[in-house]
Amino acid sequence: MFTLKRLIVLLLTTLSLITHAATQINVVGLFSNKALITINGGSPQSLSAGQTKNGVKLISANSESATFMVEGKQQVLKMGQAASVAASAGPANNDPVSLYADSRGHFYGKLNINGASLKYVVDTGASSVAMNSGDAKFAKIDYEKGEKVTLSTANGEVGAYLVKLNTLKIGTIILNNVEAVIHEGGSPPYVLLGMSALNRVDMKRDNSIMTLTKKY
């Protein structure tokens, strides 16, 4: 029995180490908006700015250095440099989250609503989070039980429903009971991350980077 207990402890310890293993990256080539790297000792692979591979995202690069986002942490490396970035032991929903603008200045990304992964765009002009009925069904939102309203849009009046989202998660930030508007049909094509969510975070923009920090 003692031996069995020791085996169980060793197994749990090993699993914990695997879960929290560090991500190792090595820069072997630098170019304008591109970097050639190895991840965890693998074969060299090319990353373009904004691209993510094996949990490593290239933010920017030039002939001198490259900026990566690894395990939620920003890392700047020069040619030939390597880094080992440990994973966080667990999510802390008040940790800042960084968003990166595309070439047109829009902030797109992936969020989770009720556990469903959906693409979003930050829209400070929208009073509430908004999504189409197809995305709502994918997120298992029983929106037809919400308050039915009629909205005036550039394309005329459309039917919609006011609901509360149980959970909305962006990176490590988790918001509960978020007001949302569900549009019947396929518009908007992405979830509009509107002010019913953004009012609950501090937003700071530095050129192409927007940092969100949860307030409540």
Side-chain angles (χ1 to χ4, degrees):
M1 181 65 70
F2 177 73
T3 302
L4 179 59
K5 285 183 178 179
R6 290 196 63 183
L7 286 173
I8 292 173
V9 171
L10 286 171
L11 178 60
L12 291 174
T13 302
T14 302
L15 288 173
S16 177
L17 289 172
I18 292 172
T19 301
H20 299 101
T23 299
Q24 297 179 338
I25 55 176
N26 193 329
V27 177
V28 296
L30 287 173
F31 314 92
S32 176
N33 291 320
K34 286 188 178 181
L36 190 65
I37 64 172
T38 62
I39 302 174
N40 295 329
S43 301
Q45 49 188 316
S46 176
L47 273 180
S48 299
Q51 188 178 12
T52 302
K53 288 184 180 179
N54 298 328
V56 177
K57 181 175 183 177
L58 178 64
I59 305 304
S60 62
N62 54 40
S63 60
E64 298 293 327
S65 65
T67 302
F68 301 92
M69 183 64 69
V70 190
E71 303 290 357
K73 302 170 185 175
Q74 191 165 298
Q75 191 81 36
V76 179
L77 297 175
K78 295 183 179 181
M79 179 65 185
Q81 285 189 326
S84 180
V85 183
S88 300
N93 61 15
N94 59 347
D95 286 348
V97 172
S98 295
L99 311 179
Y100 301 90
D102 64 9
S103 58
R104 296 176 298 170
H106 300 304
F107 292 89
Y108 288 93
K110 287 288 186 74
L111 52 67
N112 278 273
I113 293 177
N114 298 346
S117 179
L118 296 165
K119 189 172 183 178
Y120 74 87
V121 60
V122 173
D123 187 352
T124 55
S127 59
S128 296
V129 172
M131 58 198 301
N132 65 54
S133 55
D135 284 345
K137 290 175 182 176
F138 179 68
K140 294 181 171 55
I141 299 170
D142 193 2
Y143 62 89
E144 291 182 335
K145 289 185 177 179
E147 179 186 352
K148 190 167 185 178
V149 295
T150 301
L151 302 178
S152 296
T153 70
N155 297 319
E157 293 187 340
V158 296
Y161 295 84
L162 296 178
V163 300
K164 292 281 189 178
L165 305 177
N166 292 332
T167 60
L168 185 152
K169 183 173 183 288
I170 311 168
T172 56
I173 295 175
I174 299 174
L175 304 175
N176 297 313
N177 297 318
V178 179
E179 181 182 277
V181 178
I182 312 300
H183 293 235
E184 292 183 313
S187 183
Y190 312 118
V191 175
L192 303 183
L193 190 60
M195 296 309 296
S196 60
L198 296 175
N199 277 335
R200 294 166 64 174
V201 299
D202 283 320
M203 294 185 292
K204 293 183 180 179
R205 182 166 181 175
D206 183 9
N207 295 320
S208 63
I209 301 176
M210 180 184 289
T211 302
L212 307 180
T213 305
K214 183 178 178 180
K215 292 192 292 188
Y216 63 92

